[in-house]
Amino acid sequence: MRIAERAKAWWAFALAASAAPTSYLIAMPCGGACAGCPMGGGCFLAYPVLVALAIGAKSVRFGKGLLRRRP
Amino acid sequence: MNAKETLIRNRWRYISFVVGFFLFVAPFALFTRAVYLIVGNTAEPTLHSVCFRMPIDWIFGGRFYSIFGSSWFMAAFVFGVIISSIFLGAAFCGWLCPVGAVSEAISRAVPIPNKFRLRIRDTKLTMSMRYGFLVGFIAVAALVGYKLASDQLGSICCRYCASSVLQNFASALFGDLSAIEYWQSGAIISLLFWLVIGGLFMSGGRGWCLFFCPLGAFSGLAHKLGARLGFYRIEHKPESCNGCNKCQDVCPMWAIKEDHNIERTLCVNCKECVHACDAYKLIRGRKIADS
Ligand code: SF4
Ligand code: SF4
């Protein structure tokens, strides 16, 4: 149990530690203009939206497959 | 607990926050203005004049000399806050900082049911996230400072900043609309993290302070050191505790551990736990813990 708790804390630490460097990398293509563009944070939302769309598309295909297999 | 009760219980702290606003935020910035007047600095003071981030950035980015340059007051302020936390706890965060005050006030004023608000009960987890982010922040400062990465993040850090958002809000409120071009992506993202996710949807409304503010993180470490040395702190007396967990519910910084002792790196000395329960006692002056 203690090991699991420690692992959780270290995992949280690692994730949080990667937050600033990751935002640096994500913002790289925009260079000095990042955060100054009129997208209003759209890029920030784009990643989760893309992942959600990908998962959605997969599940739709999966759903269609299920339907097709029905007698 | 209703809003009126909260207001009465915290009256001195809330008055202090209003004073903090007038002391540090332009167009008033009375404290900074007074110092500038004394030293003959003709610049117009704003909340940026006491930036919570830049002196930390300088130190870890190898630009130590900058703290003696024209922005010496900024460095003196930040180090003053951190050093005072050894003796007074993180009192700046809990009693003066306008950034923490606004998000805390919004969370208290908007009646969202608690089940929609995030609260992490495991203080180790909260601490890991707070200091994890600090380590990442320092790493980027070092990479940029030692020219291992381009310095684009300098501007990014300033854009993703709750203090900047607050200062620009205040300027606009008092008639200075010149910073209108500021209201773009960075400001919107910061606003989202500071007031919506960290304020409205986190119990206590201190999400920004808990996870993103380097000054708060260092003040917490200084308070922990001070408490170890026997200075100002709040102690939990287990013999007076009935295990009702009310203290955990009222603490805006999620600083109360499962055994009801206080995680000092998170505590901002707001004294909500002291008001909520007799098992918490303030230790002033220098007294070494019995245990
Ligand atoms: S943690 Fe930072 S933003 Fe929060 S109260 Fe302290 S100095 Fe202000
Ligand atoms: S432990 Fe007590 S004094 Fe510290 S932040 Fe929580 S409620 Fe405030």
Side-chain angles (χ1 to χ4, degrees):
Chain A
M1 192 60 198
R2 271 186 73 80
I3 293 177
E5 266 169 30
R6 272 182 183 221
K8 201 163 80 177
W10 277 108
W11 175 235
F13 183 88
L15 271 185
S18 65
T22 309
S23 66
Y24 180 92
L25 288 176
I26 289 174
M28 199 79 98
C30 309
C34 177
C37 84
M39 285 261 293
C43 61
F44 188 76
L45 294 177
Y47 292 91
V49 169
L50 279 179
V51 172
L53 280 177
I55 293 172
K58 252 188 112 176
S59 59
V60 167
R61 234 182 284 151
F62 177 70
K64 274 186 187 161
L66 271 185
L67 284 176
R68 231 179 279 135
R69 245 173 266 141
R70 280 200 173 161
Chain B
M1 244 170 268
N2 66 37
K4 194 177 161 200
E5 246 180 71
T6 310
L7 204 65
I8 293 171
R9 198 176 58 249
N10 284 291
R11 62 192 176 282
W12 292 115
R13 209 158 68 85
Y14 291 168
I15 291 171
S16 180
F17 279 138
V18 174
V19 172
F21 180 87
F22 286 105
L23 288 181
F24 301 112
V25 182
F28 311 99
L30 299 175
F31 178 71
T32 320
R33 201 174 288 280
V35 175
Y36 278 12
L37 207 70
I38 293 167
V39 300
N41 188 338
T42 52
E44 184 57 28
T46 67
L47 191 53
H48 300 292
S49 316
V50 291
C51 175
F52 302 166
R53 181 193 67 89
M54 265 156 65
I56 295 168
D57 209 67
W58 294 335
I59 302 262
F60 291 98
R63 284 170 288 159
F64 196 83
Y65 52 85
S66 296
I67 65 174
F68 301 111
S70 57
S71 300
W72 64 270
F73 175 63
M74 191 187 279
F77 174 82
V78 164
F79 296 124
V81 166
I82 295 172
I83 291 167
S84 72
S85 303
I86 296 177
F87 308 103
L88 302 169
F92 175 76
C93 300
W95 288 75
L96 276 175
C97 176
V99 177
V102 173
S103 61
E104 190 183 320
I106 286 192
S107 116
R108 305 235 166 168
V110 182
I112 292 178
N114 274 345
K115 64 178 175 192
F116 296 121
R117 287 190 159 139
L118 175 75
R119 172 182 287 274
I120 299 174
R121 299 238 171 226
D122 182 348
T123 49
K124 280 215 177 82
L125 200 61
T126 312
M127 246 173 72
S128 301
M129 287 161 73
R130 177 178 230 196
Y131 289 98
F133 182 81
L134 183 69
V135 166
F137 176 87
I138 288 171
V140 173
L143 285 173
V144 173
Y146 290 105
K147 306 256 177 287
L148 298 167
S150 80
D151 68 354
Q152 58 148 329
L153 210 69
S155 68
I156 291 173
C157 274
C158 290
R159 290 277 185 174
Y160 297 131
C161 174
S163 306
S164 286
V165 175
L166 174 62
Q167 181 55 76
N168 284 294
F169 249 130
S171 299
L173 194 69
F174 290 98
D176 174 10
L177 295 173
S178 60
I180 204 81
E181 88 283 359
Y182 174 79
W183 292 101
Q184 294 170 352
S185 308
I188 293 164
I189 292 168
S190 311
L191 196 68
L192 197 73
F193 274 103
W194 172 41
L195 295 186
V196 183
I197 300 173
L200 276 183
F201 291 104
M202 283 198 188
S203 177
R206 289 277 188 154
W208 182 273
C209 308
L210 275 169
F211 302 118
F212 296 119
C213 178
L215 180 57
F218 275 109
S219 300
L221 290 175
H223 175 40
K224 183 158 185 142
L225 173 70
R228 280 257 167 99
L229 296 174
F231 293 111
Y232 184 102
R233 65 195 182 277
I234 294 167
E235 291 278 8
H236 178 246
K237 306 270 171 231
E239 61 277 12
S240 316
C241 175
N242 64 13
C244 68
N245 285 343
K246 197 173 164 194
C247 52
Q248 289 187 343
D249 294 336
V250 296
C251 176
M253 291 294 287
W254 313 348
I256 302 197
K257 299 184 201 174
E258 242 171 280
D259 61 5
H260 303 112
N261 281 318
I262 293 175
E263 175 47 60
R264 311 237 180 254
T265 52
L266 302 175
C267 173
V268 291
N269 268 316
C270 65
K271 301 199 189 88
E272 281 282 27
C273 51
V274 178
H275 294 307
C277 174
D278 292 338
Y280 289 93
K281 290 272 172 298
L282 248 177
I283 314 274
R284 289 199 181 87
R286 187 149 188 252
K287 278 192 205 111
I288 306 290
D290 321 330
S291 52

